Amino acid sequence: MGVLAACGNADSESSSGDSDGGDESASSGEEKVIKAGIGLNDDHPQYKGLLKFKEIVEEETDGAIKVETYHSGQLGDDRSMTEALQLGSQEVTIPSTAPLANFVSDFSVFDIPFLFPDEQVADEVLDGEVGQELLTKLEDQDLVGLTYWENGFRDLTNSKRAVASVDDFDGLKIRTMENDLHLDAFKALGANPTPMAFTELFTALQQGTVDGQENPYATIYLEKLYEVQEHVSDTHHIYSPFVFLMSKSFYDGLTEDQQTIMKDAAVEAGQEQREMNREANEEYLQSLQDEGMEYTEISDEDREEMVETVQPVIEDYKEKIGEETVDKVYQAIEDAQ
Ligand code: KDG
């Protein structure tokens, strides 16, 4: 999955000839090109949000900055695209916080199962002090975190059986994102988890390398995972934020005005993205059932048992994540309710 391999596939008319390193034109008044790549496909609200970002940036900079958009992992997966930003060979990507925790461990705070009660509290925490403070920690990794977008509450699907309680996880081969806390939480529930990039997921489900996976309904539907999965449960076990990332070397080469345009565009497009995402997640649970998936609603008691089962894992991870970050996030959640 070479970073530059998919340049010809961009959904953009822009052809500046900018093929790598994008910052040679920094501050020179030449046209700059942002290569922006995501893992999800072009039907997903994440991509629609990215198109909105492109529209705002190109309009606000009078075309001085062009945005080329790439979807479906055309430029790589979350981890490799983040590395490409560090190297300066790609300018934007929008990963889930889970793989980003491999770069800044504090982001794993959002991998704590059953952390956020709803999207509104998540917005307040992410857009508030602690969320913004976490973004600044990315700078040491040569990354600029402009804002948070939404991936959403993750729900379990599989091809073996209806999952209603902790017992039903027994031995299920579940693909997780590349994140240790996710792995250990699923192990605690009795499953047999395997970390894998999203770009490999459909084939792994199709070939039976794994029995199941977990993602928000929008992703399950729009990526057509219902074609290879039979059961869906509203586990809502983790709320996944996306982080809108920019390469620091590219960002530092922009004028102050351009930096402001980038930040404002990411925030404005993100507000639309969150709205579209919430509508999609509401709508697509029914669509999944229409496609033949069997839906299992988790009872309050069974969810409570899941919460208790993963609690020792959370205790174990507090130190690894950073006690201060964990405490601040718990406090912010309490304040937001
Ligand atoms: O574009 C984002 C995707 O690459 C990824 O973060 C989606 O939630 C996801 C997953 O399961 O990998």
Side-chain angles (χ1 to χ4, degrees):
M1 255 175 297
V3 167
L4 301 173
C7 276
N9 294 335
D11 285 356
S12 164
E13 68 289 358
S14 171
S15 58
S16 69
D18 172 73
S19 59
D20 65 342
D23 58 356
E24 70 269 17
S25 62
S27 312
S28 65
E30 278 173 47
E31 180 189 277
K32 296 184 176 103
V33 177
I34 291 176
K35 287 195 297 294
I38 60 167
L40 297 171
N41 69 24
D42 54 349
D43 287 326
H44 198 282
Q46 189 187 28
Y47 189 70
K48 297 192 174 138
L50 188 53
L51 291 180
K52 182 72 189 173
F53 173 79
K54 169 184 167 71
E55 183 192 311
I56 301 171
V57 166
E58 292 184 352
E59 195 179 307
E60 293 293 318
T61 63
D62 288 326
I65 300 181
K66 293 259 183 252
V67 182
E68 293 180 352
T69 58
Y70 300 84
H71 54 83
S72 310
Q74 288 167 322
L75 294 186
D77 55 44
D78 281 351
R79 186 195 276 258
S80 62
M81 287 193 284
T82 304
E83 285 166 356
L85 261 59
Q86 291 180 307
L87 294 171
S89 56
Q90 183 180 329
E91 289 71 34
V92 164
T93 188
I94 317 173
S96 300
T97 47
L100 199 55
N102 295 308
F103 297 81
V104 175
S105 57
D106 301 63
F107 277 100
S108 224
V109 68
F110 302 125
D111 301 311
I112 292 178
F114 308 105
L115 181 72
F116 288 118
D118 56 45
E119 287 99 346
Q120 285 66 36
V121 170
D123 286 352
E124 283 210 36
V125 174
L126 297 167
D127 300 340
E129 208 178 306
V130 63
Q132 299 304 302
E133 201 180 298
L134 283 176
L135 293 182
T136 63
K137 298 199 178 200
L138 289 160
E139 286 188 26
D140 287 347
Q141 290 291 320
D142 293 326
L143 300 165
V144 177
L146 291 179
T147 190
Y148 294 93
W149 287 15
E150 176 176 280
N151 193 354
F153 280 101
R154 305 181 76 86
D155 295 293
L156 185 78
T157 68
N158 80 95
S159 57
K160 293 279 183 218
R161 64 181 92 107
V163 172
S165 67
V166 171
D167 288 349
D168 300 324
F169 281 88
D170 188 35
L172 277 183
K173 286 186 274 169
I174 306 288
R175 172 268 176 178
T176 70
M177 289 192 280
E178 296 173 286
N179 178 287
D180 290 343
L181 179 38
H182 285 222
L183 272 175
D184 287 339
F186 276 101
K187 277 186 199 155
L189 288 164
N192 181 4
T194 310
M196 193 183 287
F198 185 80
T199 40
E200 290 163 40
L201 176 60
F202 191 91
T203 311
L205 291 169
Q206 194 170 39
Q207 295 181 344
T209 318
V210 289
D211 305 318
Q213 66 84 48
E214 38 88 56
N215 253 297
Y217 299 136
T219 300
I220 301 168
Y221 182 70
L222 295 168
E223 298 282 341
K224 296 193 167 44
L225 301 187
Y226 55 80
E227 288 181 359
V228 285
Q229 295 282 270
E230 277 163 45
H231 307 277
V232 56
S233 306
D234 69 334
T235 47
H236 266 47
H237 50 280
I238 282 169
Y239 174 89
S240 260
F242 283 137
V243 179
F244 194 107
L245 286 182
M246 188 164 273
S247 156
K248 188 167 184 307
S249 58
F250 177 79
Y251 184 82
D252 288 347
L254 297 174
T255 65
E256 243 174 75
D257 277 357
Q258 289 173 332
Q259 290 179 345
T260 307
I261 290 172
M262 293 304 142
K263 166 96 185 159
D264 292 350
V267 170
E268 189 183 330
Q271 262 144 15
E272 255 185 47
Q273 189 273 340
R274 281 178 178 170
E275 273 169 41
M276 289 187 282
N277 205 58
R278 280 163 206 180
E279 276 170 30
N281 278 326
E282 251 178 63
E283 183 183 338
Y284 292 137
L285 173 58
Q286 186 54 50
S287 314
L288 291 174
Q289 293 169 84
D290 295 344
E291 292 295 340
M293 286 189 88
E294 185 200 353
Y295 171 55
T296 305
E297 211 174 324
I298 310 283
S299 70
D300 289 348
E301 300 78 63
D302 284 319
R303 192 181 308 281
E304 197 42 49
E305 199 192 342
M306 292 178 195
V307 173
E308 279 164 23
T309 306
V310 297
Q311 197 54 41
V313 180
I314 298 173
E315 292 306 323
D316 225 42
Y317 268 83
K318 277 188 184 161
E319 208 180 314
K320 288 184 205 158
I321 299 169
E323 304 252 9
E324 203 190 327
T325 299
V326 175
D327 290 345
K328 279 187 185 168
V329 168
Y330 276 131
Q331 187 59 51
I333 291 173
E334 212 178 299
D335 295 346
Q337 294 184 83

